[in-house]
Amino acid sequence: MRYIDQDELALPEGWLAKAAAAADAVAAGADPNAHADVWRELKDALAALFPEKKCWYCESQVDRADNAVDHFRPKGRVSDAANAHTGYRWLAFDHRNYRYACTYCNSRRKDVVNGTAGGKADRFPLVDENSRLYAPGPLSQEKPALLDPCDLDDWELIGCQQENGKPCAASQDPAEQHRVAESISVYHLDYEPTCKQRHAAAIRLMADVDQAKLFFGKPGLQEHFTSVAKKIRRAIDRKAPFSGEMIFLLKGQRHDDHPWIQKLIEA
Ligand SMILES: [Zn+2]
């Protein structure tokens, strides 16, 4: 996961007026899905906020799915709510509630072969259920349990295990670990084929780190070192698959003898 700056979103001409009209219709009782063209119109603009059309939750490339615009706060019912919740309908046309997501993170699926299940669908757990909004109100009142790529602090809380590519908490704090566990489950980040791809990226990264450590500071090997260091930098760039998890793994390799690692992370 990486941080996505929503303020960079470029809205098409006339979109805000269309969104306001749709929001009025929904406030008067219309079904938000009857105006799905409004959020679908933002699909490309949202995709453009993150390179390579990657999913904001898992950093996999998104295929040309129709439902790539996820409502972070669900527009329909909310299955986690303690009382019957008909959805955050008043946010259905608020572009700050949109996240660009792949089908695996967004839609409920069961992987029977590997024994995992997930997909966000109507899930939106909170850290404290008592703070749940059932009508328009200050969103700051609710602390989402799910990690939000549009929150400056959340992306760094999740990493992956070097040996199998499975997602894990980057933090030792129990409350943060709980949020990571909820996110892995709800976004289906432990989907086995995704773990395999993440693992392959981890293997490549760690092989390069081992090489760079061997080359670093050795007379006559400066050029070799530079070329491997550039490869590692590319693997943690926003364009690279699973770059957030690769940063997590690279952070684990920091050492006083190898100051170049911290420099690459900050570059
Ligand atoms: Zn995804």
Side-chain angles (χ1 to χ4, degrees), residues 16-224:
L16 283 172
K18 261 186 246 177
D24 286 347
V26 167
D31 178 357
N33 292 310
H35 301 271
D37 53 314
V38 176
W39 60 75
R40 290 204 177 125
E41 198 187 323
L42 284 196
K43 197 164 81 171
D44 292 340
L46 290 163
L49 293 186
F50 200 29
E52 311 293 334
K53 298 200 168 185
K54 284 190 295 178
C55 168
W56 295 5
Y57 297 127
C58 74
E59 288 200 64
S60 301
Q61 235 162 37
V62 177
D63 59 21
R64 291 160 60 188
D66 253 3
N67 58 347
V69 179
D70 175 51
H71 287 73
F72 187 57
R73 284 175 167 79
K75 64 187 182 304
R77 60 180 225 117
V78 183
S79 59
D80 296 282
N83 304 309
H85 198 304
T86 51
Y88 297 81
R89 301 161 64 91
W90 65 95
L91 298 174
F93 305 99
D94 183 338
H95 58 84
R96 284 160 303 192
N97 192 36
Y98 300 156
R99 309 287 181 271
Y100 191 72
C102 75
T103 311
Y104 295 97
C105 291
N106 195 358
S107 309
R108 181 80 195 158
R109 269 173 195 242
K110 226 179 186 157
D111 178 5
V112 180
V113 177
N114 297 297
T116 64
K120 190 160 160 286
D122 59 6
R123 299 290 314 276
F124 194 68
L126 297 179
V127 171
D128 175 13
E129 181 55 39
N130 292 322
S131 65
R132 174 86 61 191
L133 290 171
Y134 287 81
L139 292 184
S140 55
Q141 174 187 317
E142 289 186 338
K143 174 82 176 157
L146 298 177
L147 301 182
D148 181 4
C150 298
D151 185 294
L152 205 45
D153 298 318
D154 280 1
W155 72 275
E156 279 188 299
L157 298 180
I158 189 162
C160 79
Q161 293 168 13
Q162 184 183 327
E163 63 274 21
N164 54 23
K166 288 191 190 302
C168 64
S171 153
Q172 300 297 317
D173 176 75
E176 290 176 344
Q177 288 182 335
H178 173 74
R179 293 187 63 214
V180 171
E182 284 280 85
S183 303
I184 291 172
S185 156
V186 170
Y187 297 144
H188 209 174
L189 298 176
D190 56 352
Y191 180 56
E192 186 63 23
T194 309
C195 293
K196 280 209 173 96
Q197 290 178 32
R198 217 186 272 120
H199 187 208
I203 291 170
R204 286 193 297 271
L205 174 78
M206 300 316 284
D208 287 338
V209 170
D210 286 346
Q211 251 198 340
K213 281 182 172 173
L214 278 177
F215 294 160
F216 179 67
K218 300 279 178 358
L221 293 179
Q222 179 59 35
E223 253 179 69
H224 293 289

